[in-house]
């Protein structure tokens, strides 16, 4: 049985910079997921550190923080049946190199360092991330 869930989706700075907001949002709506909140904003250094706590100390951490704070993002709460897994299915694997055509990362990205979109990995992460980004 599908479970009704909320997930936190974030169109990363490269998606906004490259003018792909509309096309990406359209894919979630086309699949039947509903946007409950949506806001263009900059990620603060505090929000970036809280969101990427698990990666602190890794070689790519500094680059990740500077990338996610490099320009406006689109912060979204998306809801529907199995929203967490369905959003990640639409997004494709973390590395665009492994993301097939038809997925958001496969169609709009080329490299792991700029991988277009974020989606929560569990309902618990979603709740935590919605708290970080919407207060
Ligand atoms: N350059 C680089 N970036 C990485 C690497 N691992 C993770 N990242 C970045 O850190 C983000 C978060 O990593 P994960 O949470 O493990 O991956 P994910 O859940 O598929 O991606 P998100 O939806 O963004 O959380 C990724 O989206 C990448 O932007 C890596 O090995 N190299
Ligand atoms: Mg993640």
């Amino acid at each position: 049985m599908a479970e009704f869930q909320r997930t936190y989706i974030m169109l990363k700075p490269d998606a906004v910079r490259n003018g792909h907001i509309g096309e990406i949002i359209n894919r979630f709506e086309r699949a039947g997921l509903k946007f409950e909140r949506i806001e263009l904003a900059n990620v603060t250094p505090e929000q970036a550190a809280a969101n990427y706590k698990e990666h602190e100390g890794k070689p790519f951490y500094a680059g990740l923080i500077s990338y996610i704070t490099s320009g406006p993002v689109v912060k979204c709460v998306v809801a529907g049946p199995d929203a967490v897994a369905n959003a990640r299915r639409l997004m494709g694997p973390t590395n665009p190199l492994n993301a097939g055509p038809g997925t958001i990362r496969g169609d709009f990205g080329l490299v792991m360092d700029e991988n277009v979109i974020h989606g929560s990995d569990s309902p618990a992460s979603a709740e935590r991330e919605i708290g970080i980004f919407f207060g």
Side-chain angles (χ1 to χ4, degrees):
M1 258 289 269
E3 181 190 339
F4 177 87
Q5 296 173 342
R6 287 191 172 79
T7 188
Y8 177 69
I9 298 296
M10 183 162 64
L11 279 53
K12 294 183 175 179
D14 55 313
V16 175
R17 197 178 292 130
N18 295 328
H20 294 139
I21 297 173
E23 284 180 280
I24 294 172
I25 286 174
N26 180 249
R27 291 181 179 213
F28 289 94
E29 291 198 315
R30 205 169 59 182
L33 294 168
K34 306 286 186 208
F35 282 78
E36 291 189 340
R37 301 189 70 161
I38 183 160
E39 186 185 329
L40 187 76
N42 286 285
V43 173
T44 67
E46 293 74 22
Q47 288 170 330
N51 190 54
Y52 289 123
K53 215 175 161 72
E54 63 178 305
H55 295 301
E56 206 181 333
K58 294 186 185 169
F60 59 84
Y61 180 76
L64 179 59
I65 298 296
S66 91
Y67 158 54
I68 207 67
T69 57
S70 67
V73 301
V74 181
K75 308 187 295 186
C76 310
V77 177
V78 170
D82 292 334
V84 169
N86 270 314
R88 288 175 71 93
R89 171 178 64 82
L90 297 174
M91 289 161 52
T94 310
N95 191 340
L97 203 51
N98 302 323
T103 67
I104 294 166
R105 285 167 169 158
D107 288 346
F108 300 109
L110 292 172
V111 293
M112 180 89 125
D113 311 66
E114 299 205 349
N115 65 351
V116 189
I117 189 165
H118 163 81
S120 309
D121 61 13
S122 68
S125 297
E127 199 177 319
R128 192 178 72 87
E129 292 165 3
I130 291 167
I132 292 171
F133 290 101
F134 285 105

